[in-house]
Amino acid sequence: MTDLPADLTAELLVEADVAICGAGPIGAATAYFLARMSPELRIVVLGDDPDDDPGHVSTYRYSGGSIRWTWADPVKREMTAETAEFVQGLIAEGVDLAAIENTYHLLHTGEHIPALNISATRLVSHLLERAADAGAQVIPGAVVEGVRPDGSGHLIETTRGTIRAERVLFALGAANARLFPQSEAELEKRQLFVLDLPVPPERERMPHTIVPVGEGFGYAFVKSVEGHLRVLVGQEDIVEDDDLSGPVDHWETLLESGLATALPWLRDAKVEQILWGVDIAEKKLVLDEPAPGLLLAGCGSSVRSSAWLGRTLAERLAA
């Protein structure tokens, strides 16, 4: 693999067999599996994950990080079960993912389903580090500005240089739409309310509680946020929120819709922080190939399916 200088400029052309645009859960996991599956390949990972993330498209940073692997849907069950087994293996090896073992408690059925909560940012960092150890070249701060065909491959124009690759994977999450507006992937905003509630020892093992409300559901759970255990609440299809430009504090509306009736201990809670991001609505793999060797991949809530996604895409890119 060609070593890239620190001062890579737009004039420099780097050759690769596979270029992965995006260093989130999908891109990082794909690089991880591909570097081990095909060590002979020259793999470049282009990451653009600034700390401020003005568009909030690095959605994994603001995700709940919960993985449950019991689903009626066989595809979701396969994706999450493989990822859970993979993550549990990392934890057994001593990888610190700020993991919390808990359960999903479905109030409407009384079921308690095994689950795991992890830090998505720690998982992504670990996958990228191991991919680099296996030979992949990770280029940080490379904003992809365009891609065009070049013979049997593709030229990727970035703010840090031009990359030529035979095969390219775009796994930029919601940002894929910026470069490929013809993509049919539907986008949506996801929000989590971080509450001011204390987390004493008896609440640390609180199950991830699912509450049906009207046509949707709310959920409350405990997660490590910036090194501290916090109570978080999210919702789907209770309060309509199509504003993709920023967070909307609809906490009171959410409580009044019926959530506080089912979980009255939330009534006096105050919102200290809103974690939000723009994500792909479909929670299964959305894969498109607009040109031979050019793949667009997306999946909402990709953390919980990251190992399955990475292995599946790596097998496609290695073929």
Side-chain angles (χ1 to χ4, degrees), residues 81-119:
E82 180 173 334
T83 302
E85 182 177 0
F86 175 77
V87 169
Q88 288 167 331
L90 294 181
I91 294 169
E93 293 172 8
V95 179
D96 182 5
L97 300 178
I100 301 173
E101 292 188 13
N102 59 9
T103 59
Y104 268 60
H105 181 197
L106 280 60
L107 287 186
H108 55 302
T109 65
E111 293 175 272
H112 285 266
I113 298 172
L116 187 66
N117 186 278
I118 63 170
S119 166

Short mmCIF file of all heavy atoms in Angstrom, two decimals, residues 81-119:
data_model
loop_
_atom_site.label_atom_id
_atom_site.label_comp_id
_atom_site.label_asym_id
_atom_site.label_seq_id
_atom_site.Cartn_x
_atom_site.Cartn_y
_atom_site.Cartn_z
N ALA A 81 -28.14 -10.28 15.08
CA ALA A 81 -27.56 -11.41 15.81
C ALA A 81 -26.08 -11.55 15.48
O ALA A 81 -25.25 -11.77 16.37
CB ALA A 81 -28.31 -12.70 15.48
N GLU A 82 -25.72 -11.39 14.21
CA GLU A 82 -24.31 -11.49 13.81
C GLU A 82 -23.51 -10.35 14.45
O GLU A 82 -22.38 -10.54 14.91
CB GLU A 82 -24.18 -11.44 12.30
CG GLU A 82 -22.74 -11.52 11.82
CD GLU A 82 -22.61 -11.64 10.32
OE1 GLU A 82 -23.56 -12.14 9.67
OE2 GLU A 82 -21.55 -11.25 9.78
N THR A 83 -24.09 -9.15 14.46
CA THR A 83 -23.40 -8.01 15.04
C THR A 83 -23.24 -8.17 16.55
O THR A 83 -22.18 -7.86 17.11
CB THR A 83 -24.15 -6.71 14.72
OG1 THR A 83 -24.25 -6.57 13.29
CG2 THR A 83 -23.43 -5.49 15.29
N ALA A 84 -24.29 -8.65 17.22
CA ALA A 84 -24.20 -8.85 18.66
C ALA A 84 -23.10 -9.85 19.01
O ALA A 84 -22.32 -9.64 19.95
CB ALA A 84 -25.55 -9.33 19.20
N GLU A 85 -23.03 -10.94 18.26
CA GLU A 85 -21.99 -11.94 18.51
C GLU A 85 -20.60 -11.35 18.29
O GLU A 85 -19.67 -11.60 19.07
CB GLU A 85 -22.20 -13.15 17.60
CG GLU A 85 -21.21 -14.27 17.82
CD GLU A 85 -21.48 -15.49 16.94
OE1 GLU A 85 -22.45 -15.45 16.15
OE2 GLU A 85 -20.71 -16.46 17.03
N PHE A 86 -20.46 -10.55 17.25
CA PHE A 86 -19.18 -9.91 16.95
C PHE A 86 -18.79 -8.95 18.07
O PHE A 86 -17.65 -8.97 18.56
CB PHE A 86 -19.29 -9.17 15.62
CG PHE A 86 -18.08 -8.36 15.26
CD1 PHE A 86 -16.94 -8.98 14.77
CD2 PHE A 86 -18.07 -6.98 15.42
CE1 PHE A 86 -15.81 -8.23 14.44
CE2 PHE A 86 -16.95 -6.23 15.09
CZ PHE A 86 -15.82 -6.86 14.60
N VAL A 87 -19.73 -8.11 18.50
CA VAL A 87 -19.44 -7.13 19.56
C VAL A 87 -19.12 -7.83 20.87
O VAL A 87 -18.20 -7.43 21.59
CB VAL A 87 -20.63 -6.17 19.71
CG1 VAL A 87 -20.48 -5.32 20.97
CG2 VAL A 87 -20.74 -5.25 18.49
N GLN A 88 -19.87 -8.87 21.19
CA GLN A 88 -19.60 -9.61 22.43
C GLN A 88 -18.20 -10.23 22.38
O GLN A 88 -17.53 -10.31 23.41
CB GLN A 88 -20.68 -10.68 22.62
CG GLN A 88 -22.03 -10.09 23.03
CD GLN A 88 -23.17 -11.09 22.93
OE1 GLN A 88 -23.14 -12.01 22.11
NE2 GLN A 88 -24.20 -10.91 23.74
N GLY A 89 -17.77 -10.65 21.20
CA GLY A 89 -16.42 -11.16 21.07
C GLY A 89 -15.36 -10.10 21.33
O GLY A 89 -14.35 -10.36 21.99
N LEU A 90 -15.61 -8.88 20.85
CA LEU A 90 -14.69 -7.78 21.11
C LEU A 90 -14.61 -7.48 22.60
O LEU A 90 -13.52 -7.27 23.16
CB LEU A 90 -15.13 -6.52 20.36
CG LEU A 90 -15.08 -6.55 18.83
CD1 LEU A 90 -15.53 -5.21 18.27
CD2 LEU A 90 -13.67 -6.88 18.34
N ILE A 91 -15.76 -7.47 23.24
CA ILE A 91 -15.80 -7.19 24.69
C ILE A 91 -15.04 -8.26 25.45
O ILE A 91 -14.28 -7.97 26.40
CB ILE A 91 -17.26 -7.08 25.17
CG1 ILE A 91 -17.93 -5.86 24.52
CG2 ILE A 91 -17.33 -6.97 26.69
CD1 ILE A 91 -19.42 -5.81 24.73
N ALA A 92 -15.21 -9.52 25.04
CA ALA A 92 -14.50 -10.62 25.69
C ALA A 92 -12.99 -10.49 25.51
O ALA A 92 -12.22 -10.94 26.37
CB ALA A 92 -14.98 -11.96 25.13
N GLU A 93 -12.57 -9.85 24.42
CA GLU A 93 -11.14 -9.63 24.18
C GLU A 93 -10.59 -8.46 24.99
O GLU A 93 -9.38 -8.22 25.01
CB GLU A 93 -10.90 -9.35 22.70
CG GLU A 93 -11.17 -10.54 21.79
CD GLU A 93 -11.11 -10.14 20.32
OE1 GLU A 93 -10.70 -9.00 20.02
OE2 GLU A 93 -11.47 -10.97 19.46
N GLY A 94 -11.50 -7.72 25.64
CA GLY A 94 -11.07 -6.59 26.45
C GLY A 94 -11.22 -5.23 25.79
O GLY A 94 -10.73 -4.23 26.33
N VAL A 95 -11.88 -5.17 24.64
CA VAL A 95 -12.12 -3.89 23.98
C VAL A 95 -13.16 -3.11 24.77
O VAL A 95 -14.25 -3.62 25.04
CB VAL A 95 -12.59 -4.09 22.53
CG1 VAL A 95 -12.85 -2.74 21.86
CG2 VAL A 95 -11.57 -4.90 21.74
N ASP A 96 -12.82 -1.88 25.15
CA ASP A 96 -13.73 -1.06 25.95
C ASP A 96 -14.72 -0.35 25.05
O ASP A 96 -14.38 0.62 24.36
CB ASP A 96 -12.92 -0.04 26.76
CG ASP A 96 -13.81 0.81 27.66
OD1 ASP A 96 -15.03 0.55 27.73
OD2 ASP A 96 -13.29 1.76 28.29
N LEU A 97 -15.95 -0.81 25.05
CA LEU A 97 -17.01 -0.21 24.25
C LEU A 97 -18.08 0.44 25.14
O LEU A 97 -19.17 0.73 24.67
CB LEU A 97 -17.67 -1.26 23.35
CG LEU A 97 -16.74 -1.95 22.33
CD1 LEU A 97 -17.51 -2.99 21.54
CD2 LEU A 97 -16.12 -0.94 21.38
N ALA A 98 -17.73 0.68 26.41
CA ALA A 98 -18.69 1.25 27.37
C ALA A 98 -19.99 0.45 27.35
O ALA A 98 -21.09 1.02 27.35
CB ALA A 98 -18.95 2.72 27.08
N ALA A 99 -19.86 -0.87 27.32
CA ALA A 99 -21.01 -1.75 27.13
C ALA A 99 -21.85 -1.89 28.39
O ALA A 99 -21.33 -1.96 29.51
CB ALA A 99 -20.54 -3.12 26.67
N ILE A 100 -23.15 -1.93 28.19
CA ILE A 100 -24.12 -2.19 29.25
C ILE A 100 -25.01 -3.33 28.79
O ILE A 100 -25.68 -3.23 27.76
CB ILE A 100 -24.99 -0.96 29.56
CG1 ILE A 100 -24.13 0.24 29.99
CG2 ILE A 100 -26.03 -1.28 30.62
CD1 ILE A 100 -24.92 1.53 30.15
N GLU A 101 -24.99 -4.44 29.51
CA GLU A 101 -25.89 -5.54 29.20
C GLU A 101 -27.23 -5.29 29.87
O GLU A 101 -27.30 -5.07 31.08
CB GLU A 101 -25.30 -6.87 29.67
CG GLU A 101 -24.06 -7.31 28.91
CD GLU A 101 -23.62 -8.71 29.27
OE1 GLU A 101 -24.42 -9.43 29.93
OE2 GLU A 101 -22.50 -9.09 28.92
N ASN A 102 -28.28 -5.28 29.08
CA ASN A 102 -29.60 -5.08 29.65
C ASN A 102 -30.63 -5.86 28.84
O ASN A 102 -30.28 -6.80 28.13
CB ASN A 102 -29.96 -3.58 29.70
CG ASN A 102 -29.94 -2.93 28.34
OD1 ASN A 102 -29.83 -3.59 27.31
ND2 ASN A 102 -30.06 -1.61 28.31
N THR A 103 -31.88 -5.48 28.95
CA THR A 103 -32.94 -6.13 28.17
C THR A 103 -33.85 -5.06 27.57
O THR A 103 -33.89 -3.92 28.04
CB THR A 103 -33.81 -7.06 29.04
OG1 THR A 103 -34.41 -6.29 30.08
CG2 THR A 103 -32.98 -8.18 29.64
N TYR A 104 -34.54 -5.45 26.52
CA TYR A 104 -35.64 -4.65 26.00
C TYR A 104 -36.91 -5.14 26.70
O TYR A 104 -37.21 -6.33 26.65
CB TYR A 104 -35.79 -4.85 24.50
CG TYR A 104 -35.03 -3.87 23.64
CD1 TYR A 104 -33.65 -3.76 23.73
CD2 TYR A 104 -35.70 -3.06 22.72
CE1 TYR A 104 -32.95 -2.88 22.93
CE2 TYR A 104 -35.01 -2.17 21.92
CZ TYR A 104 -33.64 -2.08 22.03
OH TYR A 104 -32.95 -1.20 21.24
N HIS A 105 -37.63 -4.22 27.33
CA HIS A 105 -38.89 -4.58 27.96
C HIS A 105 -40.02 -4.00 27.11
O HIS A 105 -40.20 -2.78 27.04
CB HIS A 105 -38.96 -4.03 29.38
CG HIS A 105 -40.23 -4.39 30.10
ND1 HIS A 105 -40.64 -3.75 31.23
CD2 HIS A 105 -41.16 -5.34 29.84
CE1 HIS A 105 -41.78 -4.27 31.64
NE2 HIS A 105 -42.12 -5.24 30.82
N LEU A 106 -40.77 -4.87 26.44
CA LEU A 106 -41.89 -4.45 25.62
C LEU A 106 -43.14 -4.43 26.50
O LEU A 106 -43.70 -5.48 26.84
CB LEU A 106 -42.09 -5.40 24.44
CG LEU A 106 -41.17 -5.21 23.23
CD1 LEU A 106 -39.70 -5.38 23.60
CD2 LEU A 106 -41.54 -6.17 22.10
N LEU A 107 -43.56 -3.21 26.90
CA LEU A 107 -44.66 -3.09 27.85
C LEU A 107 -45.95 -3.71 27.32
O LEU A 107 -46.75 -4.24 28.09
CB LEU A 107 -44.90 -1.63 28.20
CG LEU A 107 -43.88 -0.94 29.11
CD1 LEU A 107 -44.37 0.46 29.47
CD2 LEU A 107 -43.63 -1.74 30.38
N HIS A 108 -46.17 -3.63 26.01
CA HIS A 108 -47.45 -4.10 25.46
C HIS A 108 -47.52 -5.63 25.37
O HIS A 108 -48.61 -6.18 25.26
CB HIS A 108 -47.70 -3.49 24.08
CG HIS A 108 -46.60 -3.71 23.10
ND1 HIS A 108 -45.30 -3.29 23.33
CD2 HIS A 108 -46.59 -4.29 21.86
CE1 HIS A 108 -44.56 -3.61 22.29
NE2 HIS A 108 -45.30 -4.22 21.40
N THR A 109 -46.40 -6.32 25.44
CA THR A 109 -46.41 -7.78 25.39
C THR A 109 -45.86 -8.41 26.66
O THR A 109 -46.05 -9.61 26.88
CB THR A 109 -45.58 -8.29 24.20
OG1 THR A 109 -44.20 -7.95 24.40
CG2 THR A 109 -46.07 -7.68 22.89
N GLY A 110 -45.16 -7.62 27.46
CA GLY A 110 -44.55 -8.15 28.67
C GLY A 110 -43.24 -8.86 28.42
O GLY A 110 -42.64 -9.41 29.35
N GLU A 111 -42.75 -8.86 27.18
CA GLU A 111 -41.51 -9.57 26.85
C GLU A 111 -40.29 -8.84 27.38
O GLU A 111 -40.24 -7.61 27.42
CB GLU A 111 -41.37 -9.69 25.33
CG GLU A 111 -42.39 -10.57 24.66
CD GLU A 111 -42.23 -10.53 23.15
OE1 GLU A 111 -42.83 -9.66 22.51
OE2 GLU A 111 -41.49 -11.40 22.61
N HIS A 112 -39.29 -9.61 27.78
CA HIS A 112 -37.96 -9.10 28.11
C HIS A 112 -36.98 -9.75 27.15
O HIS A 112 -36.78 -10.97 27.18
CB HIS A 112 -37.59 -9.42 29.56
CG HIS A 112 -38.30 -8.55 30.55
ND1 HIS A 112 -37.75 -7.39 31.06
CD2 HIS A 112 -39.52 -8.67 31.12
CE1 HIS A 112 -38.59 -6.83 31.91
NE2 HIS A 112 -39.68 -7.59 31.97
N ILE A 113 -36.38 -8.95 26.28
CA ILE A 113 -35.53 -9.45 25.21
C ILE A 113 -34.08 -9.06 25.49
O ILE A 113 -33.80 -7.89 25.77
CB ILE A 113 -35.98 -8.86 23.85
CG1 ILE A 113 -37.42 -9.31 23.55
CG2 ILE A 113 -35.04 -9.28 22.74
CD1 ILE A 113 -38.01 -8.64 22.35
N PRO A 114 -33.13 -10.00 25.44
CA PRO A 114 -31.73 -9.67 25.70
C PRO A 114 -31.23 -8.57 24.77
O PRO A 114 -31.58 -8.53 23.59
CB PRO A 114 -31.00 -10.99 25.44
CG PRO A 114 -32.03 -12.05 25.60
CD PRO A 114 -33.31 -11.43 25.15
N ALA A 115 -30.42 -7.67 25.31
CA ALA A 115 -29.91 -6.54 24.53
C ALA A 115 -28.56 -6.09 25.07
O ALA A 115 -28.12 -6.52 26.14
CB ALA A 115 -30.90 -5.37 24.56
N LEU A 116 -27.92 -5.23 24.30
CA LEU A 116 -26.61 -4.72 24.64
C LEU A 116 -26.55 -3.27 24.19
O LEU A 116 -27.03 -2.92 23.11
CB LEU A 116 -25.54 -5.53 23.89
CG LEU A 116 -24.07 -5.29 24.20
CD1 LEU A 116 -23.74 -5.70 25.64
CD2 LEU A 116 -23.21 -6.09 23.22
N ASN A 117 -26.01 -2.41 25.05
CA ASN A 117 -25.83 -1.00 24.68
C ASN A 117 -24.34 -0.70 24.65
O ASN A 117 -23.62 -1.05 25.58
CB ASN A 117 -26.55 -0.09 25.67
CG ASN A 117 -26.49 1.36 25.24
OD1 ASN A 117 -25.51 2.05 25.47
ND2 ASN A 117 -27.55 1.83 24.61
N ILE A 118 -23.89 -0.06 23.57
CA ILE A 118 -22.46 0.22 23.42
C ILE A 118 -22.24 1.66 22.97
O ILE A 118 -23.17 2.34 22.54
CB ILE A 118 -21.80 -0.73 22.39
CG1 ILE A 118 -22.42 -0.51 20.99
CG2 ILE A 118 -21.90 -2.17 22.84
CD1 ILE A 118 -21.67 -1.21 19.89
N SER A 119 -21.00 2.09 23.04
CA SER A 119 -20.59 3.37 22.48
C SER A 119 -20.28 3.17 21.00
O SER A 119 -19.33 2.47 20.65
CB SER A 119 -19.35 3.92 23.20
OG SER A 119 -18.78 4.97 22.45
#
